[in-house]
């Protein structure tokens, strides 16, 4: 599969097979995140990979009860160990860096025949407590990952014309 095919094929997956992910596959997905670009190459990311069933279920409860989070064979918790950097354009770097890194993982997962779903709805204090994440670290997202047990169609997107203007704002 080439990159365009992977981008086209990726979906948020909310039902997973009860099947473990082979370690080499999981490692390749994490490696895709590790190789992502970041502002000034600071790479403030740290990924906590949760495979333990009991912990996954606790994370699901912390994700506002989204039970499917606990049904994935692993949950990758995307954390930022440095949160103070603001780029000269005024944007904070860490949520952007983490988003790029985790999105690399969502695409690499497709290549491995795996599904993911970005989870932004969770209680950060609860996730931190469950996993023993230090106070100063921010949790940016949870990424359940596993073999898909559904193949949803594409979600609607804005038209190309609505998203793109050439040369000037219009
Ligand atoms: C920042 C972000 C937060 C999201 N949070 C959740 C979430 O908490 N629960 C969920 O089921 N989906 C979540 N999603 C998935 C979106 O609903 C999904 O990407 C969108 O509907 C488009 O569908 P697609 O990913 O299949 O193309 C999130 C996606 C993003 C990018």
């Amino acid at each position: 599969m080439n990159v365009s095919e992977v981008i086209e094929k990726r979906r948020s997956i909310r039902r997973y097979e009860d099947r473990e992910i082979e370690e080499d596959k999981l490692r390749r997905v994490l490696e895709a995140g590790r190789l992502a670009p970041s502002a000034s190459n600071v790479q403030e990311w740290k990924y906590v990979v949760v495979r333990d069933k009991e912990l996954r279920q606790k994370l699901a409860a912390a994700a506002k009860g989204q039970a499917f989070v606990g049904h994935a064979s692993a949950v990758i918790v995307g954390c930022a160990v440095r949160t103070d950097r603001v780029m000269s354009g005024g944007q904070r770097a860490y949520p952007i860096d983490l988003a790029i890194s985790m999105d690399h993982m969502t695409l690499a997962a497709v290549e491995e025949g795996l599904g993911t779903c970005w989870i932004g709805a969770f209680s950060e204090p609860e996730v931190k407590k469950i996993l023993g994440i230090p106070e100063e670290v921010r949790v940016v997202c949870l990424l359940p990952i596993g073999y898909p047990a559904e193949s949803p169609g594409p979600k609607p997107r804005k038209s190309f014309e609505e998203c793109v203007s050439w040369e000037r704002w219009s």
Side-chain angles (χ1 to χ4, degrees):
M1 241 187 292
N2 64 36
V3 176
S4 325
E5 289 167 336
V6 165
I7 290 170
E8 187 103 358
K9 197 169 172 221
R10 186 212 56 80
R11 302 277 184 272
S12 291
I13 297 299
R14 299 182 178 88
R15 284 187 61 216
Y16 300 95
E17 288 179 9
D18 184 13
R19 173 179 164 197
E20 277 186 22
I21 304 173
E22 297 81 350
E23 174 118 5
D24 58 326
K25 290 192 179 187
L26 196 50
R27 280 182 172 270
R28 283 196 291 272
V29 170
L30 292 158
E31 185 67 357
R34 188 183 75 83
L35 294 177
S38 60
S40 307
N41 202 25
V42 163
Q43 305 162 68
E44 65 272 72
W45 42 64
K46 171 117 182 173
Y47 324 113
V48 184
V49 184
V50 181
R51 289 175 292 188
D52 179 85
K53 192 175 180 183
E54 205 174 306
L55 287 175
R56 281 189 278 122
Q57 282 167 351
K58 285 184 180 170
L59 288 178
K64 313 288 174 195
Q66 300 182 84
F68 74 89
V69 173
H71 300 155
S73 84
V75 181
I76 302 170
V77 181
C79 303
V81 297
R82 202 177 148 185
T83 57
D84 58 317
R85 290 182 319 123
V86 178
M87 296 175 287
S88 54
Q91 304 286 350
R92 205 165 272 277
Y94 83 86
I96 297 172
D97 292 343
L98 259 293
I100 295 169
S101 173
M102 301 305 287
D103 196 57
H104 272 44
M105 292 192 208
T106 68
L107 299 178
V110 173
E111 194 182 9
E112 301 293 343
L114 299 167
T116 59
C117 184
W118 181 293
I119 300 293
F122 61 87
S123 156
E124 187 181 25
E126 281 178 43
V127 170
K128 282 183 163 183
K129 197 169 166 203
I130 294 161
L131 302 178
I133 295 171
E135 179 65 35
E136 66 278 11
V137 170
R138 291 299 308 264
V139 180
V140 177
C141 80
L142 311 184
L143 196 73
I145 179 166
Y147 283 97
E150 62 174 1
S151 32
K155 290 275 172 64
R157 293 293 193 263
K158 289 182 181 176
S159 71
F160 188 89
E161 291 67 31
E162 210 178 342
C163 300
V164 180
S165 77
W166 303 93
E167 318 314 340
R168 296 273 190 280
W169 180 273
S170 65

